[in-house]
């Protein structure tokens, strides 16, 4: 498994993977818009195996924190540690690029036990709830947060 920053040429593959693995995926147009935002306040990475993209992670920098916007791993690679390893790679990259930022947030469906387990392993802790955040079906989102200092990059 290899990890690297997302390139513009990866956007169609990421859009296809997003459609395949998410319950309510971003549209291909939304994924392509990420390319325009990479030079500003978005950062993104991919995991590749045998030259194919098998995972992706997109974050947004919001003033003094990051927010995970979407993360996905191909169905064939789920449960193999790809999401965790991709997060470790991305977080280390963010901490070098933006050493002044120590916090990352995300929202996750309360019922999504697999994602919650991944985020807990990555060091995220629950800090709040957004009532009825998700639709179809209506469900609360848990707000998770990770805080780090300079001595801990994982």
């Amino acid at each position: 498994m290899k990890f690297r920053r997302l390139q513009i040429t990866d956007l169609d593959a990421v859009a296809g993977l997003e459609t395949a693995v998410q319950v309510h995926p971003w549209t291909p147009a939304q994924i392509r818009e990420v390319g325009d935002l990479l030079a500003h306040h978005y950062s993104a990475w991919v995991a590749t195996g045998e030259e194919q993209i098998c995972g992706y992670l997109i974050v947004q920098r919001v003033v003094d924190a990051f927010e995970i916007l979407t993360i996905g791993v191909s169905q064939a690679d789920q449960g193999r540690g790809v999401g965790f390893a991709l997060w470790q790679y991305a977080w280390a990259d963010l901490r070098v690029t933006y050493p002044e930022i120590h916090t990352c947030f995300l929202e996750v469906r309360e019922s999504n036990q697999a994602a919650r387990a991944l985020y807990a392993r990555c060091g995220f802790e629950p800090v709040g709830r957004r009532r009825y955040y998700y639709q179809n079906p209506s469900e609360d989102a848990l707000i998770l947060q990770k805080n780090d200092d300079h001595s801990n990059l994982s």
Side-chain angles (χ1 to χ4, degrees):
M1 192 72 42
K2 295 180 182 174
F3 305 97
R4 60 174 171 78
R5 284 193 174 237
L6 178 135
Q7 301 167 358
I8 299 299
T9 56
D10 298 328
L11 291 171
D12 286 338
V14 168
L17 191 52
E18 170 85 358
T19 299
V21 301
Q22 300 294 350
V23 174
H24 298 286
W26 288 14
T27 66
Q30 288 171 309
I31 294 289
R32 283 190 293 277
E33 286 174 13
V34 168
D36 295 333
L37 299 171
L38 288 174
H40 303 287
H41 55 279
Y42 278 37
S43 297
W45 301 265
V46 295
T48 60
E50 299 186 26
E51 304 307 315
Q52 285 189 312
I53 292 174
C54 60
Y56 61 91
L57 171 63
I58 301 171
V59 303
Q60 177 181 11
R61 183 172 33 93
V62 183
V63 186
D64 62 349
F66 300 107
E67 180 182 10
I68 293 180
L69 299 177
T70 187
I71 181 173
V73 174
S74 69
Q75 290 177 344
D77 291 297
Q78 290 178 6
R80 298 179 56 213
V82 174
F84 179 71
L86 181 59
W87 164 253
Q88 286 186 307
Y89 182 87
W91 186 240
D93 189 23
L94 286 169
R95 298 295 284 121
V96 168
T97 306
Y98 302 99
E100 71 282 6
I101 300 177
H102 304 276
T103 304
C104 187
F105 290 92
L106 62 90
E107 287 95 6
V108 63
R109 277 186 184 270
E110 188 170 25
S111 65
N112 191 339
Q113 295 300 320
R116 288 177 60 189
L118 168 65
Y119 297 135
R121 187 172 174 213
C122 294
F124 285 85
E125 297 179 350
V127 295
R129 173 183 302 270
R130 295 191 197 282
R131 296 264 180 220
Y132 313 112
Y133 182 79
Y134 292 103
Q135 303 303 312
N136 301 322
S138 180
E139 185 174 355
D140 290 357
L142 297 179
I143 303 168
L144 305 182
Q145 175 182 336
K146 177 180 178 62
N147 284 314
D148 261 350
D149 62 24
H150 291 294
S151 64
N152 183 5
L153 297 181
S154 63

